[in-house]
Amino acid sequence: MESIHYHFTQIASKYGDLRTTDEEPILFIRELLEDRPVIRAADIGCGVGRYVVRFFHHFGNRLYLACIDSNECMLDTLRSNLTSGRIRNFSVIRARAGAIPLPSDSLDCVMTFNAVHHFRLMDFLEESSRVLVPGGFLVIYTRLRSQNRKNIWGRYFPGFSEKEKRLYELDELKSAIKKVKPLKLRSIEFFRFNRTATLEELLRRAANHHYSTFHLYEEREFAEALEGFERNVLRTVENPGEVFWRDLNVMLVMRRVKPQA
């Protein structure tokens, strides 16, 4: 955990430039919450606020958002991003996902994007259930281990899918959710994104460790794997100036059930 914390500290200032923010899950959550005139929510593992900014774009002043992350450098960058965008209805909280410092029954929605594999899952689910109002939603957006093997890094970057053991499979997530009685799984949504980038851009992202998986490599091992990735892509794709691949993601939507009368 200390190694990953160091990774996010090092990458905070450039993280927003390196990662892709998917609009489709944001639109799905907007529909989920569209009947609520005021939305009190939390983004757990919010990082530099890539998804936070997009949510304020869609919800405007209806949204009051707690931005929660354990890394102070990521939160400093988030704070700067939001204030420069004249966004005000937010609070910044340094905390772990398994100990959310918010009152019980206080939130309409708890969200996490591409971060749940960094959490202690059961603690996160229990805490999310506690802070949600009855009828509130918990939304987990992530990629599964099997999906990770199919993206461009899993296919072409040596050791990538083997090293990334933190990700879950769907049955593991469903089993954990079932143990938290106030939470009921409402739906599972699958997303597929067609991506393109130049090989040069892909090498730049990897060299800057845009996935924390790359921090699991030793320095020399990573350098050799990066060269192997370049060779694999050049051997496989017709045009290194336009490399095509598909990213797969999944969203689990849970609802805190109302207590029996």
Side-chain angles (χ1 to χ4, degrees), residues 23 25-30 33 43 49-60 63 65 87 109 111 113 139 251:
E23 190 79 4
I26 298 172
L27 297 176
F28 184 93
I29 296 172
R30 185 181 68 177
L33 299 171
D43 184 352
R50 295 182 301 120
Y51 283 91
V52 171
V53 171
R54 299 306 302 157
F55 271 105
F56 275 106
H57 172 78
H58 286 288
F59 286 111
L63 178 62
L65 187 65
I87 296 170
C109 187
M111 307 171 285
F113 296 89
V139 179
M251 175 188 282

PDB file of all heavy atoms in Angstrom, residues 23 25-30 33 43 49-60 63 65 87 109 111 113 139 251:
ATOM      1  N   GLU A  23     -17.607   9.155 -20.377  1.00  0.00           N
ATOM      2  CA  GLU A  23     -18.835   9.927 -20.177  1.00  0.00           C
ATOM      3  C   GLU A  23     -20.051   9.038 -19.936  1.00  0.00           C
ATOM      4  O   GLU A  23     -20.975   9.408 -19.196  1.00  0.00           O
ATOM      5  CB  GLU A  23     -19.080  10.804 -21.413  1.00  0.00           C
ATOM      6  CG  GLU A  23     -20.183  11.825 -21.253  1.00  0.00           C
ATOM      7  CD  GLU A  23     -19.748  13.059 -20.485  1.00  0.00           C
ATOM      8  OE1 GLU A  23     -18.559  13.172 -20.135  1.00  0.00           O
ATOM      9  OE2 GLU A  23     -20.616  13.912 -20.225  1.00  0.00           O
ATOM     10  N   PRO A  25     -20.806   6.229 -18.172  1.00  0.00           N
ATOM     11  CA  PRO A  25     -21.263   5.934 -16.806  1.00  0.00           C
ATOM     12  C   PRO A  25     -21.785   7.155 -16.077  1.00  0.00           C
ATOM     13  O   PRO A  25     -22.679   7.044 -15.227  1.00  0.00           O
ATOM     14  CB  PRO A  25     -20.009   5.369 -16.127  1.00  0.00           C
ATOM     15  CG  PRO A  25     -18.868   5.797 -16.966  1.00  0.00           C
ATOM     16  CD  PRO A  25     -19.394   5.873 -18.358  1.00  0.00           C
ATOM     17  N   ILE A  26     -21.268   8.321 -16.393  1.00  0.00           N
ATOM     18  CA  ILE A  26     -21.765   9.559 -15.781  1.00  0.00           C
ATOM     19  C   ILE A  26     -23.199   9.804 -16.217  1.00  0.00           C
ATOM     20  O   ILE A  26     -24.067  10.158 -15.398  1.00  0.00           O
ATOM     21  CB  ILE A  26     -20.859  10.737 -16.171  1.00  0.00           C
ATOM     22  CG1 ILE A  26     -19.443  10.500 -15.648  1.00  0.00           C
ATOM     23  CG2 ILE A  26     -21.417  12.054 -15.624  1.00  0.00           C
ATOM     24  CD1 ILE A  26     -18.426  11.499 -16.143  1.00  0.00           C
ATOM     25  N   LEU A  27     -23.483   9.612 -17.490  1.00  0.00           N
ATOM     26  CA  LEU A  27     -24.842   9.808 -17.997  1.00  0.00           C
ATOM     27  C   LEU A  27     -25.807   8.806 -17.379  1.00  0.00           C
ATOM     28  O   LEU A  27     -26.973   9.130 -17.096  1.00  0.00           O
ATOM     29  CB  LEU A  27     -24.855   9.689 -19.522  1.00  0.00           C
ATOM     30  CG  LEU A  27     -24.032  10.738 -20.276  1.00  0.00           C
ATOM     31  CD1 LEU A  27     -24.055  10.455 -21.781  1.00  0.00           C
ATOM     32  CD2 LEU A  27     -24.551  12.140 -19.992  1.00  0.00           C
ATOM     33  N   PHE A  28     -25.336   7.585 -17.160  1.00  0.00           N
ATOM     34  CA  PHE A  28     -26.180   6.574 -16.528  1.00  0.00           C
ATOM     35  C   PHE A  28     -26.552   7.008 -15.112  1.00  0.00           C
ATOM     36  O   PHE A  28     -27.716   6.898 -14.700  1.00  0.00           O
ATOM     37  CB  PHE A  28     -25.451   5.230 -16.498  1.00  0.00           C
ATOM     38  CG  PHE A  28     -26.290   4.106 -15.952  1.00  0.00           C
ATOM     39  CD1 PHE A  28     -27.037   3.310 -16.800  1.00  0.00           C
ATOM     40  CD2 PHE A  28     -26.353   3.856 -14.588  1.00  0.00           C
ATOM     41  CE1 PHE A  28     -27.831   2.278 -16.301  1.00  0.00           C
ATOM     42  CE2 PHE A  28     -27.135   2.832 -14.077  1.00  0.00           C
ATOM     43  CZ  PHE A  28     -27.877   2.040 -14.932  1.00  0.00           C
ATOM     44  N   ILE A  29     -25.590   7.489 -14.348  1.00  0.00           N
ATOM     45  CA  ILE A  29     -25.861   7.915 -12.977  1.00  0.00           C
ATOM     46  C   ILE A  29     -26.749   9.154 -12.972  1.00  0.00           C
ATOM     47  O   ILE A  29     -27.598   9.311 -12.085  1.00  0.00           O
ATOM     48  CB  ILE A  29     -24.537   8.165 -12.230  1.00  0.00           C
ATOM     49  CG1 ILE A  29     -23.751   6.854 -12.120  1.00  0.00           C
ATOM     50  CG2 ILE A  29     -24.792   8.751 -10.840  1.00  0.00           C
ATOM     51  CD1 ILE A  29     -22.340   7.017 -11.577  1.00  0.00           C
ATOM     52  N   ARG A  30     -26.593  10.016 -13.955  1.00  0.00           N
ATOM     53  CA  ARG A  30     -27.468  11.192 -14.040  1.00  0.00           C
ATOM     54  C   ARG A  30     -28.929  10.768 -14.156  1.00  0.00           C
ATOM     55  O   ARG A  30     -29.806  11.330 -13.493  1.00  0.00           O
ATOM     56  CB  ARG A  30     -27.075  12.062 -15.240  1.00  0.00           C
ATOM     57  CG  ARG A  30     -27.866  13.367 -15.325  1.00  0.00           C
ATOM     58  CD  ARG A  30     -27.480  14.184 -16.531  1.00  0.00           C
ATOM     59  NE  ARG A  30     -27.892  13.551 -17.782  1.00  0.00           N
ATOM     60  CZ  ARG A  30     -27.722  14.084 -18.986  1.00  0.00           C
ATOM     61  NH1 ARG A  30     -27.113  15.258 -19.111  1.00  0.00           N
ATOM     62  NH2 ARG A  30     -28.127  13.456 -20.064  1.00  0.00           N
ATOM     63  N   LEU A  33     -30.393   9.487 -10.848  1.00  0.00           N
ATOM     64  CA  LEU A  33     -30.663  10.477  -9.802  1.00  0.00           C
ATOM     65  C   LEU A  33     -31.488  11.663 -10.293  1.00  0.00           C
ATOM     66  O   LEU A  33     -31.650  12.645  -9.567  1.00  0.00           O
ATOM     67  CB  LEU A  33     -29.326  11.002  -9.248  1.00  0.00           C
ATOM     68  CG  LEU A  33     -28.406   9.968  -8.610  1.00  0.00           C
ATOM     69  CD1 LEU A  33     -27.039  10.591  -8.322  1.00  0.00           C
ATOM     70  CD2 LEU A  33     -29.010   9.407  -7.334  1.00  0.00           C
ATOM     71  N   ASP A  43     -17.650  10.851  -3.835  1.00  0.00           N
ATOM     72  CA  ASP A  43     -16.808  10.114  -4.777  1.00  0.00           C
ATOM     73  C   ASP A  43     -15.625   9.599  -3.970  1.00  0.00           C
ATOM     74  O   ASP A  43     -14.780  10.376  -3.504  1.00  0.00           O
ATOM     75  CB  ASP A  43     -16.349  11.042  -5.900  1.00  0.00           C
ATOM     76  CG  ASP A  43     -15.536  10.312  -6.965  1.00  0.00           C
ATOM     77  OD1 ASP A  43     -15.194   9.138  -6.761  1.00  0.00           O
ATOM     78  OD2 ASP A  43     -15.232  10.932  -8.003  1.00  0.00           O
ATOM     79  N   GLY A  49      -9.984  14.283  -9.494  1.00  0.00           N
ATOM     80  CA  GLY A  49     -11.313  14.820  -9.792  1.00  0.00           C
ATOM     81  C   GLY A  49     -11.744  14.748 -11.233  1.00  0.00           C
ATOM     82  O   GLY A  49     -12.591  15.523 -11.671  1.00  0.00           O
ATOM     83  N   ARG A  50     -11.214  13.782 -11.977  1.00  0.00           N
ATOM     84  CA  ARG A  50     -11.603  13.668 -13.390  1.00  0.00           C
ATOM     85  C   ARG A  50     -13.113  13.488 -13.525  1.00  0.00           C
ATOM     86  O   ARG A  50     -13.763  14.156 -14.346  1.00  0.00           O
ATOM     87  CB  ARG A  50     -10.890  12.483 -14.048  1.00  0.00           C
ATOM     88  CG  ARG A  50      -9.397  12.627 -14.138  1.00  0.00           C
ATOM     89  CD  ARG A  50      -8.745  11.447 -14.832  1.00  0.00           C
ATOM     90  NE  ARG A  50      -8.998  10.192 -14.162  1.00  0.00           N
ATOM     91  CZ  ARG A  50      -9.614   9.149 -14.720  1.00  0.00           C
ATOM     92  NH1 ARG A  50     -10.058   9.232 -15.970  1.00  0.00           N
ATOM     93  NH2 ARG A  50      -9.794   8.031 -14.046  1.00  0.00           N
ATOM     94  N   TYR A  51     -13.682  12.598 -12.738  1.00  0.00           N
ATOM     95  CA  TYR A  51     -15.121  12.364 -12.807  1.00  0.00           C
ATOM     96  C   TYR A  51     -15.899  13.430 -12.040  1.00  0.00           C
ATOM     97  O   TYR A  51     -17.025  13.764 -12.405  1.00  0.00           O
ATOM     98  CB  TYR A  51     -15.446  10.955 -12.289  1.00  0.00           C
ATOM     99  CG  TYR A  51     -15.129   9.887 -13.305  1.00  0.00           C
ATOM    100  CD1 TYR A  51     -13.877   9.275 -13.327  1.00  0.00           C
ATOM    101  CD2 TYR A  51     -16.060   9.513 -14.275  1.00  0.00           C
ATOM    102  CE1 TYR A  51     -13.562   8.323 -14.279  1.00  0.00           C
ATOM    103  CE2 TYR A  51     -15.749   8.558 -15.227  1.00  0.00           C
ATOM    104  CZ  TYR A  51     -14.508   7.966 -15.228  1.00  0.00           C
ATOM    105  OH  TYR A  51     -14.205   7.021 -16.190  1.00  0.00           O
ATOM    106  N   VAL A  52     -15.311  13.981 -11.012  1.00  0.00           N
ATOM    107  CA  VAL A  52     -15.973  15.028 -10.227  1.00  0.00           C
ATOM    108  C   VAL A  52     -16.348  16.205 -11.120  1.00  0.00           C
ATOM    109  O   VAL A  52     -17.480  16.700 -11.085  1.00  0.00           O
ATOM    110  CB  VAL A  52     -15.054  15.493  -9.081  1.00  0.00           C
ATOM    111  CG1 VAL A  52     -15.634  16.727  -8.397  1.00  0.00           C
ATOM    112  CG2 VAL A  52     -14.855  14.366  -8.069  1.00  0.00           C
ATOM    113  N   VAL A  53     -15.411  16.667 -11.925  1.00  0.00           N
ATOM    114  CA  VAL A  53     -15.662  17.818 -12.802  1.00  0.00           C
ATOM    115  C   VAL A  53     -16.816  17.536 -13.748  1.00  0.00           C
ATOM    116  O   VAL A  53     -17.692  18.382 -13.962  1.00  0.00           O
ATOM    117  CB  VAL A  53     -14.382  18.179 -13.591  1.00  0.00           C
ATOM    118  CG1 VAL A  53     -14.688  19.221 -14.664  1.00  0.00           C
ATOM    119  CG2 VAL A  53     -13.298  18.687 -12.646  1.00  0.00           C
ATOM    120  N   ARG A  54     -16.849  16.339 -14.300  1.00  0.00           N
ATOM    121  CA  ARG A  54     -17.915  15.990 -15.246  1.00  0.00           C
ATOM    122  C   ARG A  54     -19.270  15.924 -14.546  1.00  0.00           C
ATOM    123  O   ARG A  54     -20.293  16.305 -15.122  1.00  0.00           O
ATOM    124  CB  ARG A  54     -17.609  14.644 -15.915  1.00  0.00           C
ATOM    125  CG  ARG A  54     -16.327  14.619 -16.730  1.00  0.00           C
ATOM    126  CD  ARG A  54     -16.289  15.732 -17.752  1.00  0.00           C
ATOM    127  NE  ARG A  54     -17.421  15.654 -18.669  1.00  0.00           N
ATOM    128  CZ  ARG A  54     -17.893  16.676 -19.355  1.00  0.00           C
ATOM    129  NH1 ARG A  54     -17.350  17.880 -19.214  1.00  0.00           N
ATOM    130  NH2 ARG A  54     -18.910  16.523 -20.166  1.00  0.00           N
ATOM    131  N   PHE A  55     -19.297  15.446 -13.303  1.00  0.00           N
ATOM    132  CA  PHE A  55     -20.567  15.403 -12.581  1.00  0.00           C
ATOM    133  C   PHE A  55     -21.111  16.800 -12.320  1.00  0.00           C
ATOM    134  O   PHE A  55     -22.314  17.044 -12.445  1.00  0.00           O
ATOM    135  CB  PHE A  55     -20.418  14.625 -11.271  1.00  0.00           C
ATOM    136  CG  PHE A  55     -20.674  13.164 -11.430  1.00  0.00           C
ATOM    137  CD1 PHE A  55     -19.631  12.255 -11.424  1.00  0.00           C
ATOM    138  CD2 PHE A  55     -21.954  12.689 -11.641  1.00  0.00           C
ATOM    139  CE1 PHE A  55     -19.855  10.905 -11.609  1.00  0.00           C
ATOM    140  CE2 PHE A  55     -22.199  11.341 -11.825  1.00  0.00           C
ATOM    141  CZ  PHE A  55     -21.148  10.448 -11.804  1.00  0.00           C
ATOM    142  N   PHE A  56     -20.260  17.724 -11.961  1.00  0.00           N
ATOM    143  CA  PHE A  56     -20.730  19.090 -11.757  1.00  0.00           C
ATOM    144  C   PHE A  56     -21.199  19.709 -13.071  1.00  0.00           C
ATOM    145  O   PHE A  56     -22.117  20.529 -13.091  1.00  0.00           O
ATOM    146  CB  PHE A  56     -19.637  19.943 -11.108  1.00  0.00           C
ATOM    147  CG  PHE A  56     -19.613  19.814  -9.613  1.00  0.00           C
ATOM    148  CD1 PHE A  56     -18.612  19.086  -8.984  1.00  0.00           C
ATOM    149  CD2 PHE A  56     -20.599  20.401  -8.833  1.00  0.00           C
ATOM    150  CE1 PHE A  56     -18.595  18.956  -7.602  1.00  0.00           C
ATOM    151  CE2 PHE A  56     -20.585  20.276  -7.457  1.00  0.00           C
ATOM    152  CZ  PHE A  56     -19.578  19.560  -6.829  1.00  0.00           C
ATOM    153  N   HIS A  57     -20.586  19.313 -14.172  1.00  0.00           N
ATOM    154  CA  HIS A  57     -21.047  19.790 -15.478  1.00  0.00           C
ATOM    155  C   HIS A  57     -22.495  19.366 -15.728  1.00  0.00           C
ATOM    156  O   HIS A  57     -23.289  20.135 -16.269  1.00  0.00           O
ATOM    157  CB  HIS A  57     -20.135  19.234 -16.581  1.00  0.00           C
ATOM    158  CG  HIS A  57     -20.613  19.509 -17.972  1.00  0.00           C
ATOM    159  ND1 HIS A  57     -20.462  20.738 -18.582  1.00  0.00           N
ATOM    160  CD2 HIS A  57     -21.257  18.718 -18.875  1.00  0.00           C
ATOM    161  CE1 HIS A  57     -20.994  20.681 -19.800  1.00  0.00           C
ATOM    162  NE2 HIS A  57     -21.467  19.476 -20.001  1.00  0.00           N
ATOM    163  N   HIS A  58     -22.843  18.153 -15.310  1.00  0.00           N
ATOM    164  CA  HIS A  58     -24.188  17.633 -15.571  1.00  0.00           C
ATOM    165  C   HIS A  58     -25.200  18.019 -14.494  1.00  0.00           C
ATOM    166  O   HIS A  58     -26.378  18.224 -14.803  1.00  0.00           O
ATOM    167  CB  HIS A  58     -24.134  16.107 -15.693  1.00  0.00           C
ATOM    168  CG  HIS A  58     -23.540  15.629 -16.978  1.00  0.00           C
ATOM    169  ND1 HIS A  58     -24.196  15.732 -18.193  1.00  0.00           N
ATOM    170  CD2 HIS A  58     -22.336  15.054 -17.246  1.00  0.00           C
ATOM    171  CE1 HIS A  58     -23.425  15.236 -19.146  1.00  0.00           C
ATOM    172  NE2 HIS A  58     -22.297  14.819 -18.598  1.00  0.00           N
ATOM    173  N   PHE A  59     -24.785  18.104 -13.245  1.00  0.00           N
ATOM    174  CA  PHE A  59     -25.730  18.351 -12.155  1.00  0.00           C
ATOM    175  C   PHE A  59     -25.762  19.802 -11.693  1.00  0.00           C
ATOM    176  O   PHE A  59     -26.748  20.239 -11.091  1.00  0.00           O
ATOM    177  CB  PHE A  59     -25.394  17.459 -10.951  1.00  0.00           C
ATOM    178  CG  PHE A  59     -25.750  16.019 -11.140  1.00  0.00           C
ATOM    179  CD1 PHE A  59     -24.762  15.052 -11.270  1.00  0.00           C
ATOM    180  CD2 PHE A  59     -27.072  15.608 -11.183  1.00  0.00           C
ATOM    181  CE1 PHE A  59     -25.081  13.710 -11.442  1.00  0.00           C
ATOM    182  CE2 PHE A  59     -27.410  14.271 -11.354  1.00  0.00           C
ATOM    183  CZ  PHE A  59     -26.407  13.324 -11.483  1.00  0.00           C
ATOM    184  N   GLY A  60     -24.705  20.532 -11.913  1.00  0.00           N
ATOM    185  CA  GLY A  60     -24.676  21.933 -11.513  1.00  0.00           C
ATOM    186  C   GLY A  60     -24.861  22.103 -10.014  1.00  0.00           C
ATOM    187  O   GLY A  60     -24.338  21.342  -9.202  1.00  0.00           O
ATOM    188  N   LEU A  63     -25.854  19.488  -6.993  1.00  0.00           N
ATOM    189  CA  LEU A  63     -24.930  18.507  -6.437  1.00  0.00           C
ATOM    190  C   LEU A  63     -24.077  19.097  -5.322  1.00  0.00           C
ATOM    191  O   LEU A  63     -23.478  20.172  -5.480  1.00  0.00           O
ATOM    192  CB  LEU A  63     -24.016  17.980  -7.552  1.00  0.00           C
ATOM    193  CG  LEU A  63     -22.940  16.977  -7.160  1.00  0.00           C
ATOM    194  CD1 LEU A  63     -23.553  15.703  -6.609  1.00  0.00           C
ATOM    195  CD2 LEU A  63     -22.045  16.669  -8.371  1.00  0.00           C
ATOM    196  N   LEU A  65     -20.970  17.537  -3.188  1.00  0.00           N
ATOM    197  CA  LEU A  65     -20.141  16.349  -3.317  1.00  0.00           C
ATOM    198  C   LEU A  65     -18.982  16.355  -2.328  1.00  0.00           C
ATOM    199  O   LEU A  65     -18.228  17.328  -2.229  1.00  0.00           O
ATOM    200  CB  LEU A  65     -19.580  16.261  -4.735  1.00  0.00           C
ATOM    201  CG  LEU A  65     -18.832  14.983  -5.092  1.00  0.00           C
ATOM    202  CD1 LEU A  65     -19.758  13.778  -5.072  1.00  0.00           C
ATOM    203  CD2 LEU A  65     -18.182  15.100  -6.471  1.00  0.00           C
ATOM    204  N   ILE A  87     -16.068  25.775  -9.301  1.00  0.00           N
ATOM    205  CA  ILE A  87     -16.974  24.821  -8.653  1.00  0.00           C
ATOM    206  C   ILE A  87     -16.844  25.003  -7.143  1.00  0.00           C
ATOM    207  O   ILE A  87     -15.735  25.039  -6.609  1.00  0.00           O
ATOM    208  CB  ILE A  87     -16.614  23.378  -9.065  1.00  0.00           C
ATOM    209  CG1 ILE A  87     -16.837  23.198 -10.579  1.00  0.00           C
ATOM    210  CG2 ILE A  87     -17.430  22.365  -8.271  1.00  0.00           C
ATOM    211  CD1 ILE A  87     -16.292  21.898 -11.133  1.00  0.00           C
ATOM    212  N   CYS A 109     -26.008   9.202  -2.782  1.00  0.00           N
ATOM    213  CA  CYS A 109     -25.235   8.352  -3.695  1.00  0.00           C
ATOM    214  C   CYS A 109     -23.779   8.313  -3.254  1.00  0.00           C
ATOM    215  O   CYS A 109     -23.197   9.341  -2.890  1.00  0.00           O
ATOM    216  CB  CYS A 109     -25.334   8.891  -5.121  1.00  0.00           C
ATOM    217  SG  CYS A 109     -24.575   7.826  -6.384  1.00  0.00           S
ATOM    218  N   MET A 111     -20.188   6.905  -4.958  1.00  0.00           N
ATOM    219  CA  MET A 111     -19.653   6.462  -6.241  1.00  0.00           C
ATOM    220  C   MET A 111     -18.165   6.181  -6.117  1.00  0.00           C
ATOM    221  O   MET A 111     -17.481   6.807  -5.299  1.00  0.00           O
ATOM    222  CB  MET A 111     -19.852   7.552  -7.300  1.00  0.00           C
ATOM    223  CG  MET A 111     -21.270   8.061  -7.434  1.00  0.00           C
ATOM    224  SD  MET A 111     -21.383   9.534  -8.507  1.00  0.00           S
ATOM    225  CE  MET A 111     -20.720  10.811  -7.427  1.00  0.00           C
ATOM    226  N   PHE A 113     -14.882   5.244  -9.050  1.00  0.00           N
ATOM    227  CA  PHE A 113     -14.537   5.027 -10.454  1.00  0.00           C
ATOM    228  C   PHE A 113     -13.107   4.495 -10.560  1.00  0.00           C
ATOM    229  O   PHE A 113     -12.143   5.182 -10.196  1.00  0.00           O
ATOM    230  CB  PHE A 113     -14.660   6.337 -11.244  1.00  0.00           C
ATOM    231  CG  PHE A 113     -16.065   6.861 -11.290  1.00  0.00           C
ATOM    232  CD1 PHE A 113     -16.536   7.715 -10.301  1.00  0.00           C
ATOM    233  CD2 PHE A 113     -16.932   6.469 -12.295  1.00  0.00           C
ATOM    234  CE1 PHE A 113     -17.835   8.188 -10.328  1.00  0.00           C
ATOM    235  CE2 PHE A 113     -18.239   6.930 -12.331  1.00  0.00           C
ATOM    236  CZ  PHE A 113     -18.690   7.792 -11.341  1.00  0.00           C
ATOM    237  N   VAL A 139     -22.620   3.053  -6.404  1.00  0.00           N
ATOM    238  CA  VAL A 139     -22.241   2.744  -7.782  1.00  0.00           C
ATOM    239  C   VAL A 139     -20.741   2.461  -7.831  1.00  0.00           C
ATOM    240  O   VAL A 139     -19.928   3.305  -7.438  1.00  0.00           O
ATOM    241  CB  VAL A 139     -22.581   3.903  -8.735  1.00  0.00           C
ATOM    242  CG1 VAL A 139     -22.159   3.553 -10.157  1.00  0.00           C
ATOM    243  CG2 VAL A 139     -24.065   4.224  -8.676  1.00  0.00           C
ATOM    244  N   MET A 251     -20.230  -1.744 -14.444  1.00  0.00           N
ATOM    245  CA  MET A 251     -20.771  -0.916 -13.371  1.00  0.00           C
ATOM    246  C   MET A 251     -21.771  -1.735 -12.575  1.00  0.00           C
ATOM    247  O   MET A 251     -22.684  -2.340 -13.148  1.00  0.00           O
ATOM    248  CB  MET A 251     -21.464   0.333 -13.930  1.00  0.00           C
ATOM    249  CG  MET A 251     -22.151   1.188 -12.870  1.00  0.00           C
ATOM    250  SD  MET A 251     -23.153   2.507 -13.601  1.00  0.00           S
ATOM    251  CE  MET A 251     -21.855   3.668 -14.031  1.00  0.00           C
TER     252      MET A 251
END
